[in-house]
């Protein structure tokens, strides 16, 4: 990365941290995933980590991962997300997941692995090189929560830009449920590419499999979002949400 890109990225992250703090959330960034796991024990909605970010299951340290934790003014955990490197071993993402998709089990589900499957899509078959996995993205909703279009957008972008500054990956990928993706969550988070029908998890006791889509960004995509002021994006999305809420109430 150039010096100018590093400076732009650092300013981008600082602006988002200050913006989020003005909304009542203080952010912490760390790489001790044992500390993250301990912090989540007090949050009934988010008490466990997915295997890829659980230090008891997967080797992860300062050089291979980081997390972002948000606390309300009362100290309650109201936001999480995490990023880690993935060594594809010279394969494409599709080739890697053909063998290792079980490592990306979503947290909180009893998965029947023999009946679960991965299906690679065109983008995943070209993703290669230095790759990061983005997961654990959660923002408390409901009464006293913070879930909204603006915060969702800037928080996800914070992790994407921090990954760019830390590792300059060729690609970043994650997984998303279809309904969330179709409602625009992928776009709000900044992801420019979605691939339907990637992972089908068979959940014990459920007839229908749990489907997830792959979302991904290239390094150039992340550089592009650096050109979009996060405050402007936040204000625009929040204003649109207020208009929608007013229309429903009318």
């Amino acid at each position: 990365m150039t010096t100018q890109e590093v400076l732009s990225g650092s300013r981008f992250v600082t602006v988002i941290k200050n913006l989020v703090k003005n909304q009542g959330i203080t952010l912490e960034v760390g790489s001790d995933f044992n500390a993250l796991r301990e912090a989540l024990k007090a949050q009934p909605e988010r008490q466990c980590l997915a295997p890829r970010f659980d230090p008891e299951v997967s080797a992860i340290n300062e050089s291979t991962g980081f997390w972002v934790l948000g606390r309300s003014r009362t100290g309650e955990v109201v936001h999480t997300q995490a990023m880690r490197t993935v060594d594809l071993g010279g394969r494409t993402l599709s080739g890697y997941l053909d063998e290792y998709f079980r490592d990306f089990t979503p947290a909180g589900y009893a998965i029947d692995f023999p009946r679960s499957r991965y299906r690679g899509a065109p983008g995943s078959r070209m993703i290669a090189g230095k790759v990061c996995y983005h997961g654990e993205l959660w923002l408390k909703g409901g009464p006293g929560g913070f879930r909204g279009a603006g915060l969702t957008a800037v928080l996800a972008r914070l992790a994407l830009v921090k990954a760019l500054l830390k590792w300059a990956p060729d690609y970043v990928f994650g997984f998303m449920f279809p309904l969330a993706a179709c409602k625009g969550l992928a776009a709000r988070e900044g992801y420019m590419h979605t691939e339907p029908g990637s992972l089908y998890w068979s959940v014990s006791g459920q007839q229908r499999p749990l489907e997830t889509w792959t979302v991904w960004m290239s390094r150039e995509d992340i550089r592009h979002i650096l050109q979009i002021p996060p405050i402007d994006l936040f204000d625009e999305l929040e204003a649109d949400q207020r208009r929608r809420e007013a229309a429903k109430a009318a």
Side-chain angles (χ1 to χ4, degrees):
M1 293 184 67
T2 67
T3 301
Q4 183 56 46
E5 286 176 327
V6 172
L7 291 173
S8 296
S10 298
R11 284 196 295 267
F12 192 94
V13 168
T14 299
V15 167
I16 289 178
K17 284 184 175 180
N18 290 336
L19 188 159
V20 172
K21 188 172 184 178
N22 289 338
Q23 301 302 309
I25 300 175
T26 300
L27 296 178
E28 306 168 26
V29 180
S31 55
D32 182 348
F33 281 79
N34 285 300
L36 175 62
R37 190 179 57 193
E38 287 300 311
L40 292 181
K41 288 181 178 179
Q43 173 47 265
E45 297 179 45
R46 288 287 290 115
Q47 287 192 327
C48 61
L49 291 170
R52 247 340 192 163
F53 294 107
D54 188 340
E56 288 194 346
V57 178
S58 181
I60 188 167
N61 53 46
E62 184 177 2
S63 64
T64 58
F66 69 83
W67 47 259
V68 180
L69 186 80
R71 294 184 183 273
S72 68
R73 291 189 177 98
T74 63
E76 180 188 10
V77 173
V78 295
H79 169 65
T80 63
Q81 61 179 314
M83 189 81 69
R84 67 160 300 155
T85 58
V86 176
D87 182 0
L88 299 183
R91 289 164 288 193
T92 65
L93 178 62
S94 178
Y96 175 85
L97 290 174
D98 278 338
E99 185 174 355
Y100 294 110
F101 78 89
R102 294 170 184 82
D103 292 348
F104 295 86
T105 308
Y109 293 93
I111 301 297
D112 181 348
F113 288 107
R115 297 176 58 227
S116 300
R117 63 187 176 92
Y118 168 73
R119 184 180 67 180
S124 300
R125 290 195 284 271
M126 72 168 211
I127 293 173
K130 190 186 298 184
V131 172
C132 290
Y133 171 53
H134 188 194
E136 300 298 321
L137 188 54
W138 170 79
L139 184 63
K140 181 179 173 64
F146 295 86
R147 194 168 298 163
L151 279 175
T152 301
V154 297
L155 285 166
R157 282 165 170 77
L158 180 143
L160 289 169
V161 172
K162 282 192 69 66
L164 179 68
L165 293 171
K166 187 175 179 68
W167 296 300
D170 297 301
Y171 295 95
V172 174
F173 76 97
F175 298 108
M176 187 174 293
F177 293 127
L179 185 59
C182 289
K183 286 185 175 181
L185 182 60
R188 286 201 302 275
E189 290 181 2
Y191 281 97
M192 299 181 187
H193 312 279
T194 58
E195 299 194 331
S198 298
L199 278 170
Y200 293 88
W201 298 109
S202 178
V203 180
S204 298
Q206 293 186 17
Q207 189 75 16
R208 187 173 179 178
L210 185 69
E211 179 186 354
T212 58
W213 294 10
T214 302
V215 294
W216 61 272
M217 297 276 277
S218 70
R219 184 191 305 165
E220 292 307 311
D221 292 332
I222 302 174
R223 283 173 169 162
H224 177 71
I225 68 172
L226 271 174
Q227 311 305 313
I228 303 169
I231 291 179
D232 292 352
L233 176 65
F234 175 84
D235 288 343
E236 183 176 349
L237 290 172
E238 287 296 299
D240 180 67
Q241 181 157 306
R242 288 193 294 270
R243 287 192 294 268
R244 291 173 182 272
E245 291 173 352
K248 287 182 181 180

